[in-house]
Amino acid sequence: IVPIVSWYHNDFDTEPDLVVPLGMSLKQSVPPIQKACSDYRMCVWPRSVHEEGQDPGGRALAELFDQMNEPSLTQLETVLEMERDDPHPPDVITFSHFLPRLELIPEKRMLFFAGLPQAVGSTFVEDRLRALGSKAHIFGHTHFLWDQVIDGVRYVQFALGSPKEQERRNPYGEVAELFLLYDSERGGFAPEKVYFWPEYYRNNERDPANPAMAPYTAKIYCPEAPVVDLPDAMKSLNIVRQKQKEDSPV
């Protein structure tokens, strides 16, 4: 089980800004991340960071945090590489606070705050976990429940959340409970859980240039925009959950 030290960088977000239909405009602009995110006000950085001109959300600062993983992780990479030829190589599980991939957060058109992707992740984490041969990566920060395999790695977030967050999850059938990821008594990783957003993206490709928005996003930014039929997505989610329940051993 390997921790990865990280900090976010704004250019982690490689998708376009919130798109509105032709001839329409935003009801209100998306606030700059520097004003919306409390990290910019609450974090006090060493003088050297400012003297070197490093933006608190810039790539240079994220790289500085990534360097804190040295030399430990590089040494561990060498050891794990030697063990991969073993008949029973170890299962590597990595974890970080920030997201390693942009696919692990809904698109801007599905968010209350469309600027959020600029302050959630670090590509340095993805590079680290891949170099370590991680089979599962646990992350946090955004509080979206997630369990999805991408390019051979299982990505998991299970934030218990505040009471209000738990209340908002109830319609999705996402209840606060302990999450079993690895069961040594049964010989490895527990089955994947089914959560709303990963299931939505299994059935719908990311399309950040699409002007259709979640109803709550449209209400904030562009009430005239077409809306995504999330209730229809809920029906699909419930079907998958029911099948999973029927297929699971008693």
Side-chain angles (χ1 to χ4, degrees):
I1 300 177
V2 187
I4 299 177
V5 179
S6 62
W7 187 259
Y8 61 80
H9 49 94
N10 301 155
D11 62 1
F12 173 81
D13 175 21
T14 55
E15 293 181 341
D17 293 336
L18 192 62
V19 176
V20 297
L22 191 64
M24 297 184 187
S25 58
L26 291 175
K27 174 184 173 183
Q28 66 178 50
S29 60
V30 179
I33 193 66
Q34 293 82 355
K35 292 186 177 181
C37 184
S38 62
D39 295 342
Y40 285 84
R41 301 187 301 275
M42 304 299 292
C43 293
V44 179
W45 302 105
R47 184 178 300 173
S48 60
V49 169
H50 297 287
E51 288 175 348
E52 294 173 11
Q54 294 180 7
D55 177 358
R59 193 174 186 85
L61 186 58
E63 186 172 10
L64 184 64
F65 269 77
D66 179 65
Q67 289 170 0
M68 295 179 188
N69 294 300
E70 295 292 353
S72 301
L73 293 195
T74 297
Q75 293 172 350
L76 181 58
E77 286 173 24
T78 302
V79 173
L80 291 172
E81 185 64 36
M82 294 169 62
E83 293 183 347
R84 280 182 189 135
D85 293 331
D86 190 282
H88 303 287
D91 290 327
V92 178
I93 300 173
T94 51
F95 68 94
S96 63
H97 179 76
F98 293 106
L99 281 59
R101 301 177 69 112
L102 188 59
E103 301 100 308
L104 302 174
I105 183 174
E107 303 152 86
K108 296 179 181 71
R109 63 194 184 101
M110 305 293 189
L111 298 173
F112 283 99
F113 172 47
L116 184 62
Q118 293 184 28
V120 300
S122 170
T123 55
F124 294 105
V125 177
E126 178 73 5
D127 292 341
R128 291 285 182 183
L129 71 90
R130 292 286 167 175
L132 289 163
S134 178
K135 290 189 176 179
H137 184 80
I138 304 164
F139 62 97
H141 193 61
T142 54
H143 287 211
F144 290 107
L145 302 192
W146 219 279
D147 194 349
Q148 183 179 11
V149 175
I150 303 175
D151 296 336
V153 175
R154 182 176 176 183
Y155 295 90
V156 174
Q157 177 172 206
F158 190 83
L160 291 177
S162 66
K164 285 187 177 180
E165 286 177 316
Q166 292 174 10
E167 187 177 334
R168 286 199 298 266
R169 291 173 184 165
N170 286 339
Y172 299 93
E174 297 174 342
V175 297
E177 60 185 0
L178 293 178
F179 186 100
L180 177 64
L181 176 63
Y182 195 91
D183 189 346
S184 57
E185 291 185 356
R186 296 193 176 187
F189 289 94
E192 285 180 62
K193 297 276 191 177
V194 180
Y195 295 126
F196 181 81
W197 284 115
E199 188 59 29
Y200 177 84
Y201 284 114
R202 284 188 186 99
N203 295 293
N204 301 274
E205 289 188 14
R206 291 181 77 89
D207 187 9
N210 190 333
M213 304 177 187
Y216 47 84
T217 310
K219 183 177 180 181
I220 296 169
Y221 296 107
C222 188
E224 299 83 12
V227 297
V228 177
D229 190 1
L230 292 182
D232 189 56
M234 276 298 303
K235 293 176 187 176
S236 172
L237 176 68
N238 291 332
I239 291 171
V240 171
R241 281 198 175 131
Q242 182 61 34
K243 186 176 186 306
Q244 189 181 61
K245 185 176 181 181
E246 292 170 356
D247 292 345
S248 62
V250 177

